[in-house]
Amino acid sequence: MDLLGLDEIRDLLGGISKQRATIIVGRKGFPDPVVTLKMGRVWDGKAVRAWIAENRPNPTED
């Protein structure tokens, strides 16, 4: 199972700030988290990687 938290998503997006990552994961069309725990939201890694490939092919550019 491939699960990601916000910090892992930040890494996939080129090490962007936590604030910027929070904005991106809140956008319409970003995959919904599979669960929200006390430590935060958790996403399906496969869905997040597919979204990044489609929407941000060069994640270091914004």
Side-chain angles (χ1 to χ4, degrees):
M1 186 172 281
D2 181 20
L3 299 175
L4 303 173
L6 189 61
D7 283 342
E8 290 80 18
I9 293 171
R10 288 176 57 205
D11 290 344
L12 290 173
L13 292 170
I16 62 173
S17 71
K18 189 171 191 171
Q19 180 181 13
R20 183 74 185 127
T22 299
I23 291 168
I24 290 170
V25 302
R27 286 183 178 166
K28 184 177 180 178
F30 193 86
D32 291 330
V34 293
V35 67
T36 300
L37 305 172
K38 285 185 179 183
M39 55 70 66
R41 296 171 287 179
V42 179
W43 289 265
D44 175 352
K46 184 176 179 181
V48 169
R49 285 180 175 83
W51 184 92
I52 290 171
E54 183 176 327
N55 295 280
R56 297 177 60 92
N58 186 355
T60 57
E61 292 181 6
D62 202 6

